[in-house]
Amino acid sequence: MTQNIPELYGSLVFSDKVMRNKLPKDVYKALRKTIENGTHLELDVANSVAVAMKEWAVENGATHFTHWFQPMTGITAEKHDSFISPTGSCEINMDFSGKELVKGEPDASSFPSGGLRATFEARGYTSWDPTSPAFIKDGTLYIPTAFCSYSGEALDKKTPLLRSMEALSQEAVKVLHLLGKTDVTRVTTTVGAEQEYFLVDKDLYEQRKDLIFCGRTLLGAPAPKGQEMEDHYFGSLRPRVAAYMHDLDEELWKLGIPAKTKHNEVAPAQHELAPVFETANVAVDHNQLTMEIMKKVADRHHFVCLLHEKPFEGINGSGKHNNWSMTTNTGLNLLDPGKTPAENTQFLVFLTAVIAAVDEYADLLRTSVATAGNDHRLGANEAPPAIISMFLGEELTAVIDSILNDTYFKNQKAIQMETGATVLPHFMKDTTDRNRTSPFAFTGNKFEFRMPGSSLSMSGPNVILNTAVAEMLSHFAARLDGVPADRLEGTVHELVKTSLEKHKKILFDGNGYTDEWVEEAEKRGLFNLKSTPEALTCFTSEKNCDLLIRHRIFTREEIHSRYEILLENYVKTIHIEARAMQEMVQKDFLPSCLSYMDHLAETAIRKQKLSASLSIASETKILKTLSDLTEQISERLSALTIHVSEAEGMSDVLKAAYDYQSIILTDMEMLRSVCDQSETYLPDQYLPYPTYNKLLFSV
Ligand code: ADP
Ligand code: MG
């Protein structure tokens, strides 16, 4: 039953409204100052907040609290402590102190640290992030926290994000002050993460080891129908899916997550959820929660929610579009072109900074989305290519051309939409049209980075984006500093023009899926980092280390530890996939083929016994084909087994990663191809797992 939505919304969040009601006025003010301006929070304020938070949590049924953090596993971590504190025999108080709110000490030895933390100093610290609201889930008060080592190195995804938001704010404020906007004291980055996902029936899922262990299918012949009819995209929701989405929305709304749009996606069984944008770190926290809740609610509806980037071969995989902009504390969206972008100096400065940043650090941006799963999407003509380029749309391209060529920009009149049907209301067309093939597109008043994979934490891409833009803004600030007022306009124009000259090679409005673009991009000198190992090697280049160290996002040690973790993660992912495939083929698929062949042989023999005149041609034909195919399966399985054990022994993780990418993934593809061919000969009752037909079309 649907409740009153405004009442339901945020009902499990220690929200601003709750804080205003529960906190003493001065405490509330101090906390707001920390949230809005990033100022340090005193312990007495924390004590007071802790009391109110516990009271509110207990009133709402919570018995425990947890410091909720985002280690380098890419998912979230939590350890629950109850509020109880014994006061006598069989008597307790429900206690929670400021110290417990502010700091936690989880044993950190089993989280990936990339060599940053020896196990003998296993202590890790979590510290409260007051800028992301606490919430209640399953009877526990969740406190968003950052996670670092005993000596202060970041071991998580939140710390660098907060650092990068700070860096961007500082530099953006400097530039705004130089441009005369002296009332601005803070700039925040805003993020809206559109999330794609698949839903499959739980019973079917449980019969597939590949889905259970890897989140994607490793075998499976295509269904007779894929996505070629384009009838799933925006199609009407099936009742079971609609019920799921309804439930999901309500769960998200209770947690104050602004889920806004939902629809069917291109591939069968694929869907999307888009929230309203929020401050970057809250949006990232909320996206992590969204992914978790998606899975949890799916279970209730006897579904499994697949967040893998490529669960099924031959149909589109899932991504996560990162919509990104910058807003001042005075409420200005710095990427809003206004009615006359050509005359909007401030907009042009910030637009140019983003263009320069994306061009200068394209390799780092690519690195930030590099995972084994995402390698299946990028460049496969379903998602952007692995080459980063930027799309601006007709109007902005014309503005930029006029700056580059010193010509006068003629503002296009807003274009009236002509549908030819007089009963339809008239409206104006957007002048920023859409280009779905671009990895980084301007969409009205924000940029949309379309490369991230569906399971990725949105921290990484936003860290790089914020930092790279901060860097460009810092150059701009240095250039504009000290320029007298009467020469400011001319200097800004010159600055924008020279930056655009230098970085225009990143701009591309054409079709990013074509081979011509790959050639053209190479001529322009753009990066085309096709695989994760290749991309990750860029992470530690001198130039990229310089950037990240200069803006205090990472220390050199933190960069190297992250590089190690990401490479190891890549290797482990493919290793698990290879092992799962070996097991599925060896123990399930090959025996299935053999029993069907046995059945065919038995039939043939029985037929012949019955009468020599009965034809056994069809049995023989299938037997012959399957016999050839199973022989190839055996051979390819052996090759995979040998290569996996070779790679397993390697101590150089980069070399191992390249082996997994070039040798083992190829072995797996070849093995899959013969298995999938054999699958088309096997009746369903012989198959050890449900087919693509069932997985994709049975809901
Ligand atoms: P589409 O599917 O066409 O890409 P959607 O409307 O589904 O577009 O998603 C657009 C996303 O962009 C939403 O999450 C929206 O909140 C977000 N967005 C809008 N304005 C901004 C902004 N200023 N900063 C960041 N994200 C924004
Ligand atoms: Mg989008």
Side-chain angles (χ1 to χ4, degrees), residues 222-291:
K225 180 184 177 204
Q227 62 192 42
E228 58 278 76
M229 299 300 282
E230 295 167 334
D231 52 354
H232 194 254
Y233 192 52
F234 285 8
S236 73
L237 303 174
R238 296 217 174 82
R240 208 176 145 197
V241 173
Y244 165 78
M245 287 179 169
H246 177 89
D247 226 12
L248 176 62
D249 276 342
E250 288 206 346
E251 290 299 324
L252 294 174
W253 290 340
K254 280 188 224 165
L255 294 170
I257 299 173
K260 172 92 174 159
T261 311
K262 52 186 180 186
H263 60 80
N264 284 347
E265 257 301 329
V266 175
Q270 191 185 31
H271 313 281
E272 181 185 297
L273 180 144
V276 176
F277 68 94
E278 299 176 280
T279 306
N281 73 315
V282 177
V284 171
D285 284 1
H286 279 173
N287 180 250
Q288 290 293 135
L289 263 178
T290 300
M291 290 194 283

Side-chain angles (χ1 to χ4, degrees), residues 427-471:
F427 55 88
M428 296 303 173
K429 274 203 240 188
D430 266 331
T431 48
T432 55
D433 53 357
R434 300 266 165 164
N435 180 338
R436 291 285 166 188
T437 69
S438 176
F440 208 104
F442 187 75
T443 46
N445 57 5
K446 61 186 187 315
F447 272 102
E448 186 173 359
F449 184 34
R450 300 189 177 125
M451 271 185 162
S454 46
S455 66
L456 193 74
S457 154
M458 288 323 268
S459 164
N462 286 300
V463 167
I464 302 303
L465 202 47
N466 293 345
T467 312
V469 174
E471 169 72 7

Side-chain angles (χ1 to χ4, degrees), residues 11-31:
S11 55
L12 296 177
V13 182
F14 191 66
S15 61
D16 187 61
K17 192 171 136 202
V18 177
M19 289 193 262
R20 224 179 311 131
N21 287 338
K22 292 237 171 228
L23 293 172
K25 248 206 187 95
D26 53 328
V27 173
Y28 173 73
K29 266 199 193 144
L31 184 58

Side-chain angles (χ1 to χ4, degrees), residues 198 200 205 208-218 295 304-312 454 573 576-577 580:
F198 278 87
V200 295
Y205 169 91
R208 298 224 34 148
K209 288 182 186 165
D210 45 8
L211 287 181
I212 293 173
F213 292 118
C214 314
R216 76 171 177 109
T217 54
L218 301 167
K295 293 192 164 174
V304 172
C305 171
L306 302 177
L307 292 171
H308 193 283
E309 283 72 17
K310 192 73 181 177
F312 303 100
S454 46
T573 304
I576 293 169
E577 290 181 350

